[in-house]
Amino acid sequence: ADRRRGELRAQLNLLKPVAPVALVTSTVDTMMYLTRRTESEKIRFGATQELQSIRAKNAQIDQQIARARSVANIDAPPLAMLAAATILALAVGFAVAFGYELRQPHIADSREAEQFARARVITTVKPSEVVERARRRSDENAPPLIDVVSENYKNLYLHIAGSETPVPVITVTGEEPVIVAAVAANLAAVAAYEARSTLLVDVDPTTSTIAGVLRLRANPGFADVMAGSTQWPEAIVPTTIGRDRPLDVLPSGTGRVVHADGPTISAMKGGFERMKRRYDFIVIAAPISFVQRDALSIIPGPDVVLCGRIARTKTQDFAAAAESLRGINMHIHGLVLWDDELPRIETAEVRDQAISAQANLRFAGEST
């Protein structure tokens, strides 16, 4: 036991004593970090509140947009939509028309027409007041486009008939055949109403507008006379203006366009010379392309009346037409402006019915 105790002491002596380790205490100040954390918590809370407010506003705006869309798509009345579409269409149409007018201006009034054509405006045909027809059947069957009491056509006739130099033949021309026919027919009607023996001639077989205006047969006519198949007396149709004023009409004929050559031109001019000895006044309705033929034209006189339509005839075309007529030594007596809707020519069926009614009325009068 003693030996064992000695060995153990010897082993204990060999072991070195371990010095005790002193504990290190922390001296870091954590108040700064706590303050920063508190401030960050406040900032995060404020941002959260602002985000919630923005989301609430967005939700309210979305509801308003949805409500407006539903009202616009469903609750809009048809009349309101129609009114909006009409206003938009008018605005777009005005813009297009304004741009087109700036590029290609049209005749606006008589002063502008005189400026471009360098001729005087004799009369401007405007919408006439509705005058009640007489109660006689002859007045009811009268052509609706003939107005012998209109001051417009009276002024035109007095301007031509009252000139210092007598005008036995006057040609009414222009770009629109219907207006040319209406003006020429009313001019001849006023001349007949003033007790002058008058002949109205239509030289355009492609339209036959004079026959439609006066409710007359179109065949045979001027084209047949040019072709040599009909003589002048056979083609001339007598009609009555008012109740007792006679007017002779040479219609154009239909379905035949005769190309004039030297003998034909000479024969037609000879026929016009014979008609000038028979009638006091001859009115010719001709398209401007027919008058501009110069050497190939059968127009017997240089006196013309040029027709135009307000807001429809281009100023440059009107000026070019006037200059072309002067270029072939035609004398422009004056201008006639049409400031009304385009007259409607009756169809062949309506015209035939009117002709039959007039024939029956004439037969009844002769029988009586």
Side-chain angles (χ1 to χ4, degrees):
D2 290 338
R3 187 183 62 236
R4 181 62 180 165
R5 185 180 60 185
E7 291 176 358
L8 292 175
R9 286 181 177 177
Q11 292 179 359
L12 291 173
N13 290 332
L14 292 176
L15 296 175
K16 293 181 179 180
V18 179
V21 179
L23 296 176
V24 180
T25 59
S26 176
T27 59
V28 179
D29 187 8
T30 60
M31 293 302 295
M32 179 179 62
Y33 297 102
L34 293 176
T35 303
R36 290 181 179 179
R37 186 182 67 177
T38 303
E39 293 177 354
S40 300
E41 290 292 339
K42 292 181 179 180
I43 293 174
R44 184 178 66 82
F45 181 75
T48 303
Q49 295 294 328
E50 186 177 359
L51 179 61
Q52 292 178 356
S53 177
I54 292 174
R55 287 177 177 176
K57 290 182 179 179
N58 290 339
Q60 185 179 3
I61 292 174
D62 291 339
Q63 291 177 0
Q64 293 177 357
I65 292 175
R67 191 181 302 110
R69 287 178 177 175
S70 62
V71 170
N73 295 332
I74 301 176
D75 297 338
L79 292 178
M81 298 179 64
L82 179 62
T86 303
I87 294 174
L88 180 61
L90 290 176
V92 174
F94 175 78
V96 173
F98 184 72
Y100 182 73
E101 181 66 22
L102 289 179
R103 294 185 58 185
Q104 297 181 347
H106 296 74
I107 296 176
D109 51 18
S110 58
R111 184 175 182 179
E112 192 173 48
E114 291 177 350
Q115 177 183 358
F116 282 93
R118 295 190 295 114
R120 177 185 175 186
V121 174
I122 303 175
T123 184
T124 300
V125 180
K126 297 183 178 181
S128 58
E129 297 180 357
V130 178
V131 179
E132 184 179 358
R133 295 274 189 178
R135 297 181 179 179
R136 296 190 178 184
R137 187 174 299 177
S138 59
D139 295 328
E140 295 177 356
N141 295 328
L145 294 180
I146 300 300
D147 188 5
V148 294
V149 299
S150 173
E151 294 296 332
N152 299 320
Y153 301 113
K154 284 185 178 180
N155 294 335
L156 177 60
Y157 170 73
L158 292 176
H159 177 82
I160 297 173
S163 59
E164 298 179 357
T165 305
V167 181
V169 180
I170 190 74
T171 301
V172 181
T173 186
E175 292 290 343
E176 300 194 35
V178 179
I179 294 178
V180 171
V183 173
N186 280 279
L187 176 60
V190 172
Y193 199 75
E194 295 294 330
R196 295 189 66 181
S197 59
T198 307
L199 175 64
L200 175 61
V201 182
D202 185 5
V203 299
D204 186 11
T206 59
T207 58
S208 302
T209 49
I210 292 295
V213 170
L214 293 175
R215 290 178 172 175
L216 301 174
R217 58 153 176 88
N219 290 306
F222 184 80
D224 301 282
V225 175
M226 286 189 65
S229 59
T230 305
Q231 300 299 319
W232 285 78
E234 299 174 357
I236 293 176
V237 182
T239 186
T240 303
I241 300 299
R243 298 175 184 172
D244 57 353
R245 301 299 184 183
L247 172 64
D248 288 346
V249 182
L250 178 60
S252 63
T254 57
R256 181 183 302 179
V257 178
V258 180
H259 298 282
D261 51 9
T264 303
I265 294 175
S266 299
M268 295 305 296
K269 288 186 176 180
F272 272 113
E273 290 297 327
R274 293 192 301 271
M275 294 300 106
K276 287 168 62 175
R277 292 191 296 267
R278 177 179 175 182
Y279 294 96
D280 298 331
F281 191 52
I282 298 177
V283 181
I284 301 175
I288 195 167
S289 59
F290 193 93
V291 182
Q292 292 172 342
R293 294 179 181 178
D294 196 8
L296 297 178
S297 177
I298 60 173
I299 302 299
D303 302 293
V304 297
V305 172
L306 182 59
C307 299
R309 188 181 178 189
I310 290 181
R312 291 294 185 272
T313 303
K314 299 178 181 178
T315 54
Q316 57 183 2
D317 295 343
F318 203 57
E323 292 302 323
S324 65
L325 292 176
R326 293 190 180 96
I328 56 176
N329 298 323
M330 301 295 274
H331 174 61
I332 301 177
H333 261 270
L335 309 175
V336 175
L337 298 182
W338 189 275
D339 191 11
D340 194 3
E341 295 294 333
L342 194 67
R344 299 179 61 182
I345 302 299
E346 296 177 348
T347 60
E349 296 179 357
V350 176
R351 186 169 65 244
D352 293 341
Q353 293 177 1
I355 293 173
S356 300
Q358 292 176 359
N360 294 333
L361 181 63
R362 190 180 302 110
F363 177 76
E366 292 176 356
S367 300
T368 303

